[in-house]
Amino acid sequence: RFVAVIPAGGVGTRLWPLSRAAAPKFLHDLTGSGSTLIRATYDRLRPLANGRLLVVTGQAHRAAVCHQIPELDTADLVLESEPKDSGAAIGLAAAILYRRDPATIMGSFAADHVISPDTVFRAAVLEAIHTAASGERGKIVTIGIEPTHPSTGFGYIRGGEALDVAGAPSARAVAEFVEKPSLEVAEKYLASGEYLWNAGMFVAPVSLMLEHLEANQPELYAGLTEIADAWDTPARDEVTARVWPTLPKIAIDYAVAEPAAAAGDVAVVPGAFRWDDVGDFAAIGRLNSAREVDAVTVLGEGARVFTEGASGIVVSDTKRVIALIGIQDVVIVDTPDALLVTTKEHAQKVKGAVAALKASG
Ligand code: GDD
Ligand code: MG
């Protein structure tokens, strides 16, 4: 009954110039493992989902995704004509799966996170699946990560009482779900020790997902229903092309997780695995399997790197020779048409630079 869903959207501008609209983060190997992030995500989920898997991505990424996951059936590849955020992507998956089997438990997992070890991840997801299937209506189950800093880019989860679910000893009710709080609030949450980060994973009965979508986002729900009704029929492409552009753009965290938590329908299972959403280039240095040249982490096969008294990160998809001498914590990202030079400390500011570059043409 479990089907995994991989929403693969977003441009990942904080990883510019490596991650671009044409080749976003999930199409790169950011750990030096030899797998792109989306392929690693697929492989991590395959044993759980037994081959039942849906990918939702932009039309522009069709060829790349099919190349990465040749196992994927075309009926299980949802292609968006334009991004409508995670609410539409995950909501449509829920609606399609509901029509195939209303008793389905779905699990949505980002395509661009780095997770290890896979076995610990799968144990947590199994607990989440048991929890999602528990009780009369089930639960929307999130996976919680111990926060390390007052990030404003994550959802925060306050756990409530322990739930008594067979096969899920660490499952708890969620008292509150707050998406992307202000820095002031995030600092308060961190200091309280009561909050976990939402890892961006949702395991739930498709019926409960749809129930909350209908209650909180009726317009989105109506559009998704129309598309899903046509999905496994010859009318699929015509209906999708007509309805998709009209859908409201909203993240699943606002559309479902926050209101469902307020209604008491959300649970959390803590994830004891290592989790990184690769939010900027400083993250590359934390991800273990990349090549090291002295104190410099090197990602990419082509470049020959020489270092002397330097530390930091080099990411290169060129065949250039790169020499770093006497500079610390530097970040060099070398691509054929754009070069980034910054430091680990300032790596988060890449997003602003990309916006400014775009504005100035
Ligand atoms: N197909 C598709 N289309 N997927 C999308 C779209 C879209 O338009 N927009 C977002 N997604 C996918 C992303 O690829 C990712 O897998 C997931 O939906 C979440 O979207 P993000 O844009 O990455 O969200 P976020 O990082 O700001 O926040 C979410 O993830 C955090 C953890 O990384 C939230 O769930 C937070 O609560 C969470 O802490
Ligand atoms: Mg994200």
Side-chain angles (χ1 to χ4, degrees):
R1 295 287 143 136
F2 179 71
V3 181
V5 174
I6 305 178
V11 179
T13 45
R14 283 173 301 178
L15 294 183
W16 179 90
L18 189 67
S19 182
R20 315 290 277 264
K25 199 170 133 189
F26 61 85
L27 292 174
H28 293 274
D29 168 13
L30 296 180
T31 64
S33 71
S35 291
T36 59
L37 295 183
I38 193 169
R39 179 69 215 189
T41 304
Y42 179 84
D43 287 337
R44 189 180 305 125
L45 291 166
R46 197 164 45 167
L48 281 170
N50 217 337
R52 291 182 306 267
L53 219 128
L54 222 65
V55 175
V56 189
T57 192
Q59 269 166 11
H61 307 311
R62 172 189 216 138
V65 168
C66 290
H67 180 73
Q68 287 300 316
I69 313 177
E71 298 94 331
L72 202 64
D73 204 273
T74 48
D76 296 330
L77 177 60
V78 180
L79 296 168
E80 307 160 325
S81 52
E82 57 186 284
K84 288 291 185 179
D85 216 320
S86 55
I90 296 169
L92 180 57
I96 291 171
L97 294 173
Y98 182 83
R99 275 150 190 81
R100 290 183 185 169
D101 178 356
T104 301
I105 304 281
M106 74 182 288
S108 168
F109 303 90
D112 56 5
H113 292 169
V114 174
I115 287 167
S116 68
D118 285 0
T119 46
V120 179
F121 165 79
R122 284 195 286 264
V125 176
L126 269 179
E127 277 203 55
I129 294 171
H130 287 304
T131 310
S134 69
E136 221 167 272
R137 323 165 54 227
K139 291 273 182 208
I140 295 174
V141 189
T142 56
I143 306 238
I145 303 288
E146 205 60 58
T148 55
H149 61 279
S151 169
T152 56
F154 296 141
Y156 284 72
I157 295 167
R158 184 157 59 84
E161 80 277 12
L163 295 173
D164 185 23
V165 178
S170 53
R172 291 165 72 190
V174 164
E176 189 188 20
F177 185 108
V178 181
E179 178 64 7
K180 295 191 176 58
S182 66
L183 180 61
E184 207 189 347
V185 173
E187 280 169 344
K188 210 178 73 194
Y189 288 172
L190 186 70
S192 79
E194 286 181 27
Y195 288 79
L196 296 172
W197 281 338
N198 168 32
M201 305 169 187
F202 297 98
V203 181
V206 288
S207 52
L208 190 60
M209 273 303 231
L210 294 173
E211 196 180 297
H212 282 286
L213 259 184
E214 182 174 20
N216 303 302
Q217 290 289 319
E219 200 192 323
L220 177 58
Y221 175 82
L224 295 175
T225 298
E226 202 178 341
I227 297 174
D229 282 340
W231 192 259
D232 289 313
T233 80
R236 170 176 103 175
D237 293 347
E238 180 269 313
V239 174
T240 308
R242 179 168 48 77
V243 177
W244 188 265
T246 70
L247 297 178
K249 197 169 179 173
I250 182 168
I252 194 77
D253 313 275
Y254 298 114
V256 171
E258 279 189 350
D265 278 340
V266 180
V268 63
V269 167
F273 47 84
R274 191 168 161 192
W275 175 82
D276 202 311
D277 82 330
V278 208
D280 61 31
F281 281 111
I284 308 276
R286 295 194 296 266
L287 303 169
N288 36 32
S289 53
R291 177 160 59 113
E292 297 284 331
V293 180
D294 299 327
V296 177
T297 302
V298 180
L299 203 73
E301 292 301 304
R304 209 177 114 211
V305 176
F306 168 86
T307 71
E308 191 182 319
S311 70
I313 297 154
V314 169
V315 183
S316 176
D317 58 2
T318 70
K319 294 228 176 302
R320 247 190 285 273
V321 175
I322 298 172
L324 299 182
I325 303 159
I327 43 178
Q328 308 306 318
D329 287 329
V330 71
V331 174
I332 311 270
V333 183
D334 175 39
T335 71
D337 68 336
L339 172 70
L340 169 74
V341 182
T342 183
T343 61
K344 283 188 185 176
E345 190 195 339
H346 293 94
Q348 282 278 335
K349 294 184 183 160
V350 171
K351 192 175 186 161
V354 175
L357 278 167
K358 238 191 200 149
S360 67

